[in-house]
Amino acid sequence: MPPTEIEQLKVQLAQRDRVIAERDHVIAQHQSTITALTKQRDEFHLEKLRLEVRLARLLKQVYGPRADRVGDAAQMLLDFARQLEAQPVAPEDLPPAEEADARVEDPGARPHSRRLRTRGRRDIGSLDHLPLIEKTYELTGELCRCPGCRDLREQIGTEVSYTIEHIPASFVRIRHIQCKYACRTCEQAGFNPNIERAAKAGASPIDKGMVGPGLLAHVATSKYADYLPLHRLEAIFAREGFELDRSTLCLWMADAARIVKPLYDRMAQRVKQSHVLATDDTEMPLLAPGKTRPARMWIYRGDDANPYNVFDFTESRRRDGPAQFLKDFRGTLLADAYGGYNGVVLNQELPRAGCWAHARRKFVEAEPAAREDARAILAPVNRLFKIETQLKDLDPDERQRRRQAEARPIVETLHTRLLQLKDSLLPKHPLALAIGYSLNQWKELTLFLTDGAVPIHNNLAEQEMKRIALLRKNALFVATPRGGETAAILSSLTSTCRRHAVNPQLYLTQLLANLPDSPSTRIDDWLPDRWKKHSPLCQK
């Protein structure tokens, strides 16, 4: 081949290499652009899913039910009813003729619509425990005469009916006159006259105070059981003719908390003896210069052997709060995934149980972003809750045996399903985040399978936090750390009274009147469950 042609081929090869390089460069640019656009598309998609989940959560808070449900149950029932009506009726499904005749209502009976009007009316016999005031109405004078012959009509019977009336509470003054006694003989002889003053009953539990135990219990019950803030009580009392300053009510509550503090300490001691201790926390704003700062209120709910609800107030959510309270605890801690419990669990080598209600809520919130996958996860979780409903009345050993036979296969299948879904989703996908929460807590979530005394959820402790939320909504904040401690002590008593169906007004009245004079060795007699069992005031 001549040299000229070789040179031309070299030039052509060089041109081809340049074209290939330029093409590769363009392809690389396009691939980079595609990668960037794909990443941007994924980010936009994730942001869209996050916004959908957030919108669904906000709409549920404003308009939806409080329960964590998915799907429209009412529409499902409506569709089922339509399908049922569309099915043909088989002759063998019809009842016998005599049974059908027996079901026909008596023509003289009241129609169903009239029975609906009486719905909600209670049998008066169920109100026999209320005091009874009897009033008799008679015809007198001209009203008793017959309009026909003008003779006096005779009574032939009575017609009895009832009304329920409310008599408002009132304030009374109790004047305590204590008689003094002295020995005149010893006094005339120049000796000590041995002056003695008669004991005063029903006096104020506060030293040199004017408030009686009943009024003190009423204020405590109104604020910490009925969630009435003190400024409303101040207005209510003024309307009844008893005017006093709100600061006085605050001092009364602080004094009441100081009086019952030994009982509160005993309840805390008993709670820490529980085999399973449930805990949760919520924000309780603390007044600070210019604004409030987020203090916390914690709940520690004992098991059935130590059935007390104890609240603890801390000025922050740092882990030293639960660490201080739980330093003597040696049982199983039932809590959410808050990292503040990690130090307590590790340092004290405590088993920690997780809450399936928390895990389930994550999937309910992620359901708008991945409807089919989320519902496929929620179905076995719901079966776990259904199994627990069937096992709630069993002893722990039998419950654990049934859990191993019925719940463990569901949990193992669910775990496999979660791992498969996690690998198929983007890391920041709402459903992937819900799956990550459950997998990170899997050891805690499955502890209930090996201990029949461990509940599957922490709902009972969370319900008490809703009570604190009501108190926070009405009172807005606590003014001082001492006020937070007062709220914790008195809320512990009223919450435990609610747990045992004890009237807090009656209980606190007796407690404040008698606890200061009771020996410390009998402090257990004033625990709400013990008091309910032995007090004659609670016996019907």
Side-chain angles (χ1 to χ4, degrees):
M1 182 179 294
T4 307
E5 294 181 1
I6 295 176
E7 294 295 331
Q8 291 177 352
L9 289 175
K10 288 182 179 180
V11 171
Q12 292 177 359
L13 289 175
Q15 291 177 349
R16 189 195 63 176
D17 291 341
R18 285 197 300 271
V19 171
I20 293 175
E22 292 176 356
R23 186 193 62 182
D24 292 341
H25 179 68
V26 172
I27 291 175
Q29 288 181 338
H30 288 333
Q31 288 178 343
S32 177
T33 303
I34 291 173
T35 302
L37 291 175
T38 303
K39 182 179 179 181
Q40 187 177 18
R41 182 201 63 185
D42 293 341
E43 291 177 352
F44 285 154
H45 179 63
L46 290 176
E47 182 64 20
K48 174 177 174 291
L49 293 177
R50 283 195 292 267
L51 290 176
E52 289 177 352
V53 171
R54 184 178 180 184
L55 177 61
R57 186 186 302 119
L58 293 175
L59 289 175
K60 179 177 179 295
Q61 290 178 356
V62 177
Y63 301 109
R66 303 187 68 177
D68 295 326
R69 298 190 183 95
V70 295
D72 189 351
Q75 186 63 39
M76 294 170 60
L77 290 175
L78 182 60
D79 295 339
F80 173 76
R82 289 173 178 171
Q83 295 173 7
L84 187 63
E85 289 181 354
Q87 293 179 358
V89 179
E92 58 271 15
D93 294 336
L94 294 174
E98 57 272 14
E99 292 185 14
D101 294 339
R103 294 179 185 177
V104 177
E105 291 187 352
D106 182 5
R110 292 184 299 174
H112 181 65
S113 60
R114 292 184 62 187
R115 290 200 302 271
L116 288 178
R117 296 195 193 106
T118 64
R119 182 178 297 174
R121 295 177 62 180
R122 297 183 59 184
D123 180 11
I124 203 65
S126 63
L127 302 176
D128 289 343
H129 62 284
L130 296 179
L132 178 64
I133 300 176
E134 194 170 280
K135 295 182 178 182
T136 303
Y137 306 91
E138 298 178 342
L139 293 178
T140 59
E142 288 296 323
L143 294 176
C144 193
R145 291 188 179 276
C146 176
C149 64
R150 305 299 297 169
D151 286 343
L152 291 177
R153 287 180 281 197
E154 297 180 2
Q155 180 177 339
I156 60 173
T158 59
E159 181 177 334
V160 179
S161 61
Y162 292 87
T163 57
I164 307 300
E165 188 56 273
H166 172 68
I167 301 176
S170 58
F171 295 95
V172 296
R173 291 183 301 161
I174 301 177
R175 179 185 295 172
H176 300 275
I177 302 176
Q178 297 175 266
C179 297
K180 297 181 179 180
Y181 298 86
C183 178
R184 293 294 185 185
T185 303
C186 291
E187 182 181 18
Q188 291 174 358
F191 298 109
N192 184 3
N194 295 314
I195 299 175
E196 183 72 18
R197 182 176 57 184
K200 181 169 58 173
S204 173
I206 301 175
D207 187 26
K208 298 181 181 180
M210 190 173 62
V211 58
L215 178 56
L216 201 59
H218 174 66
V219 176
T221 301
S222 298
K223 179 172 174 108
Y224 298 106
D226 301 329
Y227 317 111
L228 280 175
L230 294 183
H231 72 272
R232 295 184 192 169
L233 281 175
E234 181 184 6
I236 293 172
F237 288 173
R239 190 167 60 240
E240 299 294 332
F242 180 49
E243 298 183 5
L244 75 166
D245 192 74
R246 191 187 321 168
S247 61
T248 303
L249 295 174
C250 293
L251 293 176
W252 285 358
M253 292 298 94
D255 289 334
R258 175 183 52 80
I259 293 171
V260 302
K261 181 67 161 54
L263 182 62
Y264 168 83
D265 293 336
R266 178 55 179 160
M267 289 171 58
Q269 182 182 7
R270 286 286 304 273
V271 160
K272 287 183 280 190
Q273 297 173 5
S274 301
H275 173 63
V276 179
L277 178 61
T279 180
D280 198 12
D281 69 289
T282 190
E283 182 177 334
M284 176 60 74
L286 176 64
L287 191 62
K291 60 179 182 179
T292 60
R293 53 192 178 96
R296 308 297 294 188
M297 186 71 80
W298 308 76
I299 174 67
Y300 299 95
R301 189 182 190 275
D303 56 16
D304 292 339
N306 303 278
Y308 311 108
N309 300 340
V310 176
F311 290 89
D312 184 42
F313 176 80
T314 60
E315 297 186 42
S316 68
R317 208 194 182 197
R318 293 192 300 267
R319 65 183 61 186
D320 53 353
Q324 177 65 26
F325 188 92
L326 298 172
K327 62 181 180 180
D328 299 327
F329 178 61
R330 295 296 179 268
T332 299
L333 186 65
L334 174 62
D336 56 22
Y338 170 52
Y341 300 120
N342 295 339
V344 179
V345 171
L346 292 176
N347 294 336
Q348 301 176 203
E349 298 182 352
L350 302 179
R352 177 174 175 179
C355 175
W356 274 98
H358 278 82
R360 183 183 183 277
R361 189 174 302 127
K362 300 291 184 181
F363 294 108
V364 172
E365 294 175 352
E367 192 261 350
R371 194 172 304 277
E372 294 183 1
D373 290 334
R375 293 189 178 186
I377 296 173
L378 288 171
V381 175
N382 292 337
R383 288 201 295 272
L384 292 178
F385 280 89
K386 186 176 181 179
I387 291 173
E388 286 302 309
T389 302
Q390 300 171 353
L391 307 182
K392 64 179 181 179
D393 296 327
L394 301 180
D395 61 87
D397 294 335
E398 178 64 17
R399 187 183 299 115
Q400 179 182 352
R401 187 188 68 80
R402 294 278 299 274
R403 283 173 174 174
Q404 290 290 333
E406 301 176 25
R408 179 174 286 279
I410 298 175
V411 171
E412 292 175 351
T413 304
L414 178 61
H415 186 251
T416 303
R417 176 66 175 169
L418 294 178
L419 292 176
Q420 293 174 350
L421 280 176
K422 182 182 179 181
D423 295 336
S424 64
L425 295 171
L426 294 171
K428 293 185 179 181
H429 192 284
L431 185 59
L433 297 177
I435 293 174
Y437 175 90
S438 296
L439 293 178
N440 292 337
Q441 294 288 312
W442 198 252
K443 179 180 178 181
E444 290 79 7
L445 289 174
T446 56
L447 181 64
F448 80 103
L449 296 173
T450 58
D451 189 345
V454 174
I456 194 175
H457 57 70
N458 195 28
N459 287 349
L460 294 178
E462 284 196 4
Q463 289 171 4
E464 297 305 317
M465 290 292 94
K466 293 180 180 178
R467 310 287 180 180
I468 297 298
L470 287 174
L471 177 63
R472 178 184 62 212
K473 181 179 179 180
N474 287 278
L476 300 182
F477 53 81
V478 292
T480 63
R482 181 186 177 187
E485 182 182 3
T486 297
I489 293 174
L490 297 179
S491 294
S492 299
L493 293 177
T494 56
S495 175
T496 304
C497 285
R498 186 186 309 109
R499 180 172 179 175
H500 296 286
V502 170
N503 184 343
Q505 169 76 46
L506 183 62
Y507 169 73
L508 289 175
T509 300
Q510 294 292 312
L511 179 67
L512 293 169
N514 296 281
L515 185 62
D517 298 326
S518 297
S520 58
T521 55
R522 301 195 61 183
I523 190 71
D524 283 2
D525 293 341
W526 289 103
L527 293 171
D529 58 326
R530 296 276 297 271
W531 180 84
K532 178 183 180 180
K533 183 177 180 181
H534 297 101
S535 175
L537 298 175
C538 293
Q539 308 303 322
K540 294 185 179 179

